[in-house]
Amino acid sequence: MLTPIKTPLVAKKMFPNYVWDIATNEKVLYLTFDDGPTPEITNWTLDTLNNYQAKATFFCIGKNIEKHPDIFKAILNEGHAIGNHTNNHLKGWKTLTSDYLANVTKAQNTIDAIIPKDFSGNTQLFRPPYGQIKPAQGKALLGQGYKIIMWDIISFDWDKNISKETCLKNVTNKATKGSIIVFHDSVKASKNMQYALPKVLEYFSEKGYVFKTLT
Ligand SMILES: [Zn+2]
């Protein structure tokens, strides 16, 4: 299946219980970073966001949080939001619902053990890896209080077949007020992401946009 850069309205309407974008007339964008925490890359991402007073949301993999709890804490300390991206980056369509839910819970237990008791953000944001989630899985997670965050724009930063310039244009040409934008703080995506992110921040900041966390 070919994933479009910008999620079509028809897809958003098919799954209205999932969050695809934030309705607003203000110049706000919601950057998201999946698959970390990753040594070097996540720290670089935090520094780059900081240069533009930009906030973002990091959808972390449970096993990566276990390996790098210090980086996970740094994300929180800098005022960003965090979300659950399963414990082992599971494909929902290929996973039994009971196994999928157990894997999300495992990641959540890791998150909850680290998050400070006085943390004021939402600790139950969830993004399905690959955007793949069966209706039964989605329904169960919504029932457990999770918000399921999809996206409006995918940068395709991980795709080795696109140039870094194309990755940048995927975002600058398509993002609009309230867009949720996907990047990855992973080694695989780093070549394109580390080129595109500062330019996205520069481009939209000059146009008066601010970058906020999802809540
Ligand atoms: Zn992912």
Side-chain angles (χ1 to χ4, degrees):
M1 193 182 72
L2 198 66
T3 306
I5 296 160
K6 187 173 178 85
T7 305
L9 197 55
V10 60
K12 296 179 180 180
K13 291 216 160 137
M14 222 185 299
F15 300 101
N17 294 328
Y18 302 163
V19 180
W20 298 91
D21 49 46
I22 306 296
T24 178
N25 286 321
E26 299 189 357
K27 290 183 171 181
V28 183
L29 293 172
Y30 298 89
L31 297 173
T32 64
F33 296 88
D34 293 1
D35 297 359
T38 310
E40 311 293 326
I41 314 292
T42 305
N43 296 321
W44 178 91
T45 304
L46 293 174
D47 289 345
T48 304
L49 291 170
N50 202 30
N51 290 340
Y52 291 85
Q53 290 88 50
K55 298 300 177 198
T57 304
F58 290 77
F59 289 94
C60 299
I61 297 173
K63 70 174 167 59
N64 288 350
I65 302 172
E66 276 177 51
K67 276 190 252 172
H68 310 292
D70 50 329
I71 307 177
F72 184 75
K73 284 178 197 162
I75 295 170
L76 292 168
N77 286 341
E78 299 207 13
H80 302 290
I82 51 84
N84 183 326
H85 198 48
T86 76
N87 199 64
N88 300 82
H89 210 255
L90 296 187
K91 277 192 169 140
W93 296 346
K94 293 192 173 168
T95 309
L96 281 174
T97 294
S98 56
D99 292 346
Y100 195 78
L101 298 176
N103 201 268
V104 172
T105 299
K106 188 164 170 28
Q108 195 65 35
N109 289 341
T110 304
I111 290 170
D112 290 345
I114 296 177
I115 271 188
K117 295 277 174 285
D118 60 352
F119 181 71
S120 61
N122 190 337
T123 60
Q124 279 198 293
L125 303 176
F126 177 77
R127 172 172 283 157
Y130 313 97
Q132 292 190 8
I133 184 165
K134 290 178 189 168
Q137 294 161 350
K139 197 177 168 195
L141 291 175
L142 290 169
Q144 291 177 21
Y146 289 94
K147 267 194 189 177
I148 298 178
I149 311 293
M150 306 301 271
W151 59 78
D152 184 38
I153 307 286
I154 297 198
S155 68
F156 282 88
D157 54 354
W158 76 90
D159 188 339
K160 298 250 186 292
N161 296 317
I162 68 161
S163 69
K164 54 195 197 302
E165 291 83 5
T166 299
C167 174
L168 170 63
K169 278 185 194 155
N170 285 345
V171 179
T172 54
N173 288 354
K174 305 271 186 180
T176 53
K177 292 168 182 170
S179 286
I180 297 173
I181 300 165
V182 180
F183 281 110
H184 294 77
D185 51 332
S186 65
V187 171
K188 191 180 175 191
S190 60
K191 179 180 71 78
N192 288 338
M193 190 278 281
Q194 292 188 315
Y195 173 82
L197 179 61
K199 291 182 169 53
V200 164
L201 290 163
E202 181 78 37
Y203 179 86
F204 285 104
S205 294
E206 278 182 1
K207 290 183 178 297
Y209 279 80
V210 293
F211 300 87
K212 293 189 179 176
T213 59
L214 293 163
T215 53

